[in-house]
Amino acid sequence: GLERFLRVEMASSSGANLQATNNELVKCIEDLRGKREEVSRQMAKEQEEKLKIENDIKILNDQLHRIVDSLARKEQSLREYDKTIIDTESAYTKILESSNTLLQVLKRETVSLGKKKQAGR
């Protein structure tokens, strides 16, 4: 009697323990699946954000290249303006010097002609 009772009791206790363990394992697996799903959702969101940032970077790089090219062309234009200004100022200075020299020669000639006219009277 008692031995059979203990075996039945142990078997039912083992069965209950096995069932409790099984339930706990199923719950743990479900928890792990839930956590995995959350990580998967986060990854999908971050992947989408990564693609958007990569696209933004491409757009910004294109804009940067256009601006760098534009700046290079404008720097070349500035150098050409600077050269033209220097050449023009130099030519203008020479014209002024020549005009001044011509004026001095003309004044001397006028004085000289004035003296000759006076001497001729």
Side-chain angles (χ1 to χ4, degrees), residues 1-15:
L2 182 59
E3 192 176 293
R4 186 175 178 325
F5 173 76
L6 287 176
R7 266 189 278 162
V8 169
E9 199 50 41
M10 283 177 60
S12 103
S13 175
S14 290

Side-chain angles (χ1 to χ4, degrees), residues 7-73:
R7 266 189 278 162
V8 169
E9 199 50 41
M10 283 177 60
S12 103
S13 175
S14 290
N17 283 343
L18 189 58
Q19 185 61 42
T21 301
N22 184 47
N23 289 344
E24 195 172 333
L25 280 173
V26 168
K27 184 186 179 318
C28 284
I29 291 171
E30 286 174 356
D31 287 348
L32 289 173
R33 284 195 173 132
K35 289 176 182 176
R36 183 197 181 282
E37 187 58 35
E38 178 58 29
V39 170
S40 180
R41 276 193 299 274
Q42 290 172 353
M43 282 181 64
K45 182 180 177 192
E46 287 179 9
Q47 192 70 3
E48 189 177 313
E49 186 176 350
K50 176 182 168 268
L51 289 173
K52 182 192 177 307
I53 289 170
E54 287 172 345
N55 188 52
D56 291 348
I57 288 171
K58 180 191 176 306
I59 289 168
L60 289 172
N61 272 327
D62 291 346
Q63 290 175 347
L64 177 63
H65 290 304
R66 281 194 301 276
I67 289 172
V68 167
D69 290 345
S70 176
L71 284 171
R73 286 191 305 276

